Amino acid sequence: MLDTTTRKNIDDCRDVLVGKVPDPKSQIEQITLALIYKFMDDMDKEAVEKFKGKAKFFTGEYAKYGWRKLFDPSLSGIDMLSLYSEALEKLNTNPNIPELFRNIFKNAYLPYRDPSTLKLFLKHINEFDYSHSEKLGDAFEYLLSVMGSQGDAGQFRTPRHIIDFVTACVDPQKNETVLDPACGTAGFLLSAYKHILNQNTDKRQGDKLKPDDRKKLATNFVGYDISPDMVRLSLANMYLHGFSTPNIHEYDTLSSEDRWQETFDVILANPPFMTPKGGIRPHKKFGVQANKAEVLFTDYIAEHLSSKGRAGIIVPEGIIFQTAGAYKNLRKLLIQESLIAVIGLPAGCFNPYSGVKTSILFLDKQLAKKSKNILFIKIENDGFDLGAQRRENINSDLPQAFELFAKFKESIVSDKALKFKNANALIVDKEKINEKNDYTLLRDRYTLNDEVNHSSFKLVEIGEICHIQRGGSPRPIEKFITTSSDGINWIKIGDTNENAKYVTKTKEKIIKEGLTKTRLVEVDDFILSNSMSFGRPYIMRIPGAIHDGWLHLRIKDREAVDQDYLYEVLRSEVVKAQYEKLATGGVVRNLNSKLVSGVKIPLPPIEIQRKIVQEIEAYSKEIIEMKNSISKKEMQIRNKITAIWGVKEEILLMAAESQTEYNK
């Protein structure tokens, strides 16, 4: 357990470095190198003073680099800096230290040349005193937990409670192989290791494990990462938690074929979400042809599970619903072969690093073959608030989600039907997911039908009665704006009023050349906002062009659909509720043509549609008349009061304001 003194020392080290080494990851690297440097010297000191033996690491020509040599009173600040800098660069050539440590010190260097900063930094490092690596491991884990920078490839630290939740759900066993193909600082691997230790504990952690079990554990855990810096941190983290020769490899999981034949019983990962500009150039062995990182990583994991393999993967929301061919093919592959559950996390779960909406995919090759269903669970509270500080709160949904997931797995094994009363859990038949051939894994899509089926009229999808296409924007738009009278109306959200029904004019126009990158809409077409204040419908009374913040809807058969009826339905609360559930994104919520196409609405015969519109218009007229009547009554009352007091209304208002100020 990390003590407060050690925590303070780590924080002090970071505070010293922040002026010279602003990047948090570089700070951690410098602290890691210094801690291990001192740790080796501590081991030499223990061998000599406690066990009456000989120093092992700092001997021969490398004896001059011993940690304690840095604190020789005869050394000036410049001398200390020179010796420490030289030591960092030479330790990877020291044949007396393990290859693991040599790898950690490979390409190490001191990134600043300020003697006073180094002297204060080494003073704080020197206050660490560990008799064995486990305590140093706890300190190192805390050090990694404060790393707040997102990597160039979109990787960022996964919150500890989410890592442990995923691990507990997958439930790795002592004899199983475990992989993280984008291991970062080895958080998932160590979570799996601790999970196994806790499973095999009687009086002291892991005491039920036999020597052979521990030998297997040492070789069963494997991590890959493309970043040499992350590999260095993973090696240190694994070593300091008891792995003397950790299997962490600098490896390009998506482009290299060297380890393609390896399979694993358990894979746990939060792969990088971002794709480099121009995409990734993977080899041809992937089952899904793609150049997006999240698609390839998910496919890699699915394809590298053993016949009894299980996986927990944190994925960005695009994996769940994107309509591009690679995404659909990936979801189809997962549903057919391994997917058993999708657990949606709240949008702020990765704050402050990212506001991206994520889900957890749980794969199980054995259970997927037996089950006709997929479990969906929505997490609304992960035990922390969703602000930048992520302060801990109560009533986390994670324990209940774990129980629901466990019951679902038990029902598959026992072949017994299972129904949940929990509103955030839903079991969906795979056939239902496969119906539209887009294999969407949005939980709310499969709850919407029950909510709208109360209509006594036939339900149709909007895509059945309307052509739906997204707008587009010529860029940069400034090049296409014109003041010419023959320009084309350029329709922006600012040209509309939230309560208006029609678009009648625009503030700007674009030249005809801009039409190649946008979409032309005609009189009587519908446009629907798809971002920010999404779901607002308007009927066009002028032709124009729309940017990508609009969807264009054109009624297919005007003999079957009344324009005014469709407008009223599109802005109804029932349809808005469907939009709200289907909208994607974290900070900015969006609709797209595919999602809107699947929204269901009641479609009575055309005569009834027109009668409904007439009734709505009659009610609207009554409401307007009532409002006017109320306004007249209010004016009559005000005039009456004025007449009673015999003063002008303005004086009454001034008196009322004065009374208000007096009361304050």
Side-chain angles (χ1 to χ4, degrees):
M1 192 72 180
L2 184 67
D3 59 88
T4 55
T5 301
T6 301
R7 182 191 296 262
K8 183 180 183 304
N9 284 341
I10 290 173
D11 291 338
D12 287 343
C13 287
R14 294 187 70 230
D15 289 342
V16 170
L17 291 177
V18 71
K20 301 294 181 181
V21 187
D23 177 33
K25 184 159 68 71
S26 296
Q27 294 169 16
I28 289 171
E29 288 171 5
Q30 289 302 310
I31 297 171
T32 299
L33 294 171
L35 285 174
I36 294 175
Y37 188 166
K38 183 180 188 299
F39 177 58
M40 289 190 293
D41 195 74
D42 285 347
M43 293 174 70
D44 272 355
K45 181 180 177 182
E46 184 179 61
V48 173
E49 297 181 1
K50 184 176 180 180
F51 299 108
K52 308 303 179 184
K54 295 182 179 180
K56 179 180 179 181
F57 299 124
F58 296 101
T59 61
E61 63 179 295
Y62 292 92
K64 64 181 179 179
Y65 299 126
W67 177 267
R68 283 162 288 175
K69 303 284 188 182
L70 296 167
F71 296 89
D72 187 330
S74 65
L75 288 181
S76 67
I78 293 293
D79 292 336
M80 174 189 275
L81 186 142
S82 177
L83 181 60
Y84 183 74
S85 178
E86 183 181 336
L88 287 186
E89 295 173 10
K90 291 289 184 67
L91 284 178
N92 75 299
T93 64
N94 184 351
N96 303 314
I97 67 177
E99 183 181 1
L100 166 67
F101 286 168
R102 293 203 300 273
N103 289 337
I104 290 173
F105 281 95
K106 189 176 181 180
N107 299 322
Y109 70 99
L110 187 65
Y112 58 90
R113 287 294 182 269
D114 179 25
S116 60
T117 298
L118 178 66
K119 187 173 183 178
L120 185 56
F121 173 67
L122 294 184
K123 173 183 175 293
H124 286 304
I125 293 291
N126 203 45
E127 291 171 4
F128 289 91
D129 184 21
Y130 299 102
S131 57
H132 52 82
S133 64
E134 185 178 345
K135 289 183 180 179
L136 186 56
D138 291 337
F140 188 62
E141 192 164 333
Y142 169 68
L143 180 62
L144 294 178
S145 76
V146 298
M147 182 167 65
S149 63
Q150 179 174 326
D152 294 335
Q155 73 271 31
F156 43 78
R157 189 180 65 83
T158 311
R160 170 60 53 192
H161 66 293
I162 299 297
I163 289 178
D164 292 340
F165 171 74
V166 175
T167 301
C169 288
V170 176
D171 192 23
Q173 301 296 303
K174 65 181 182 181
N175 58 339
E176 293 182 316
T177 53
V178 181
L179 170 72
D180 183 343
C183 67
T185 59
F188 269 112
L189 295 177
L190 287 173
S191 178
Y193 175 61
K194 291 176 181 179
H195 177 83
I196 292 170
L197 291 182
N198 292 334
Q199 279 183 325
N200 294 274
T201 292
D202 182 14
K203 295 179 181 178
R204 128 183 101 75
Q205 191 181 51
D207 60 1
K208 293 170 69 175
L209 291 171
K210 298 176 181 178
D212 285 345
D213 295 330
R214 291 186 175 275
K215 284 182 181 179
K216 284 184 179 179
L217 285 176
T219 58
N220 280 352
F221 286 76
V222 179
Y224 308 148
D225 204 285
I226 195 171
S227 165
D229 293 335
M230 287 298 173
V231 169
R232 179 185 296 171
L233 293 175
S234 289
L235 286 170
N237 203 11
M238 294 288 282
Y239 180 87
L240 297 173
H241 282 85
F243 288 79
S244 57
T245 55
N247 293 313
I248 305 295
H249 306 281
E250 185 180 333
Y251 181 67
D252 187 343
T253 304
L254 303 184
S255 299
S256 177
E257 300 181 47
D258 296 347
R259 299 179 178 275
W260 184 262
Q261 301 305 321
E262 298 176 1
T263 60
F264 295 83
D265 302 319
V266 170
I267 302 181
L268 304 166
N270 175 17
F273 294 168
M274 292 173 62
T275 300
K277 189 174 181 180
I280 294 170
R281 295 181 180 178
H283 51 71
K284 301 298 183 183
K285 292 188 176 181
F286 284 91
V288 176
Q289 298 304 307
N291 62 359
K292 295 290 186 181
E294 66 261 31
V295 175
L296 292 169
F297 266 113
T298 306
D299 179 32
Y300 184 94
I301 291 168
E303 294 200 45
H304 285 79
L305 290 175
S306 66
S307 57
K308 61 176 182 178
R310 307 181 307 287
I313 321 164
I314 299 174
V315 297
E317 198 178 29
I319 290 287
I320 303 299
F321 69 86
Q322 284 280 6
T323 57
Y327 290 89
K328 289 196 292 186
N329 292 337
L330 173 66
R331 292 193 295 269
K332 180 180 180 181
L333 177 72
L334 295 176
I335 293 167
Q336 289 175 342
E337 297 186 1
S338 56
L339 184 67
I340 61 168
V342 180
I343 296 184
L345 296 172
C349 196
F350 282 88
N351 281 336
Y353 319 118
S354 171
V356 68
K357 180 80 170 65
T358 58
S359 292
I360 308 168
L361 303 183
F362 287 104
L363 314 184
D364 189 314
K365 281 200 167 183
Q366 288 185 321
L367 293 184
K369 291 177 182 177
K370 297 179 181 179
S371 177
K372 296 180 180 179
N373 302 314
I374 290 175
L375 172 66
F376 292 84
I377 299 177
K378 182 180 180 180
I379 303 293
E380 294 180 330
N381 179 357
D382 71 327
F384 294 80
D385 68 37
L386 301 179
Q389 300 302 316
R390 293 286 279 148
R391 293 182 177 88
E392 190 169 3
N393 58 34
I394 58 174
N395 300 324
S396 170
D397 295 336
L398 295 179
Q400 188 178 48
F402 175 78
E403 291 179 10
L404 294 172
F405 184 53
K407 288 179 181 178
F408 177 69
K409 290 192 292 183
E410 289 172 10
S411 73
I412 299 174
V413 173
S414 62
D415 196 24
K416 292 181 180 178
L418 178 66
K419 288 186 177 180
F420 289 130
K421 294 181 180 178
N422 188 294
N424 287 336
L426 182 70
I427 297 174
V428 181
D429 192 302
K430 291 179 183 178
E431 290 299 321
K432 190 173 184 180
I433 298 174
N434 296 342
E435 278 178 0
K436 297 183 182 300
N437 295 322
D438 63 1
Y439 311 100
T440 294
L441 297 174
L442 281 170
R443 169 191 170 277
D444 289 332
R445 166 181 275 200
Y446 306 107
T447 62
L448 291 174
N449 291 347
D450 295 334
E451 296 174 10
V452 298
N453 276 340
H454 62 274
S455 173
S456 57
F457 299 113
K458 178 180 72 171
L459 292 173
V460 299
E461 294 183 352
I462 294 176
E464 295 178 44
I465 61 172
C466 289
H467 298 288
I468 305 176
Q469 295 177 305
R470 187 177 181 179
S473 297
R475 291 184 172 89
I477 186 61
E478 294 79 15
K479 289 180 59 177
F480 298 90
I481 296 295
T482 180
T483 56
S484 173
S485 60
D486 63 351
I488 299 159
N489 293 312
W490 179 238
I491 305 157
K492 298 191 295 185
I493 195 72
D495 297 317
T496 62
N497 182 293
E498 185 174 358
N499 298 314
K501 183 176 181 178
Y502 302 106
V503 177
T504 58
K505 60 181 179 180
T506 63
K507 297 181 183 71
E508 294 181 333
K509 297 177 183 289
I510 60 170
I511 58 177
K512 291 180 181 179
E513 287 77 4
L515 289 180
T516 58
K517 297 292 184 179
T518 184
R519 186 166 302 284
L520 195 63
V521 295
E522 299 175 358
V523 173
D524 289 338
D525 285 347
F526 283 81
I527 60 173
L528 186 79
S529 57
N530 64 27
S531 183
M532 300 294 283
S533 299
F534 56 80
R536 285 161 49 179
Y538 299 94
I539 300 174
M540 299 302 302
R541 282 292 175 260
I542 55 172
I546 56 171
H547 57 68
D548 45 17
W550 294 108
L551 295 177
H552 172 215
L553 284 71
R554 178 172 292 166
I555 296 173
K556 294 180 180 179
D557 183 1
R558 295 190 179 273
E559 298 295 321
V561 181
D562 181 81
Q563 183 187 73
D564 295 317
Y565 170 80
L566 181 59
Y567 170 78
E568 296 296 346
V569 171
L570 289 177
R571 72 190 192 105
S572 68
E573 292 302 320
V574 175
V575 170
K576 284 180 181 178
Q578 295 187 64
Y579 291 155
E580 190 63 41
K581 286 192 171 184
L582 291 173
T584 61
V587 178
V588 179
R589 308 264 287 153
N590 301 282
L591 294 171
N592 59 45
S593 57
K594 189 72 175 179
L595 296 178
V596 172
S597 178
V599 170
K600 290 192 173 184
I601 64 172
L603 189 70
I606 189 76
E607 296 81 10
I608 296 179
Q609 293 178 43
R610 288 167 181 159
K611 286 182 180 179
I612 291 172
V613 171
Q614 288 174 1
E615 283 190 40
I616 292 173
E617 289 176 347
Y619 285 131
S620 298
K621 186 177 179 181
E622 282 185 33
I623 291 170
I624 292 171
E625 289 175 352
M626 288 179 184
K627 286 181 176 179
N628 290 336
S629 177
I630 291 170
S631 295
K632 287 179 181 178
K633 291 290 184 184
E634 287 178 344
M635 183 59 69
Q636 289 172 2
I637 292 169
R638 291 165 73 90
N639 291 338
K640 194 76 172 177
I641 293 172
T642 303
I644 292 170
W645 282 89
V647 294
K648 289 186 177 181
E649 187 175 5
E650 289 84 351
I651 297 175
L652 285 174
L653 290 173
M654 289 173 63
E657 290 173 0
S658 298
Q659 183 65 44
T660 301
E661 290 299 318
Y662 175 78
N663 291 338
K664 286 182 180 179

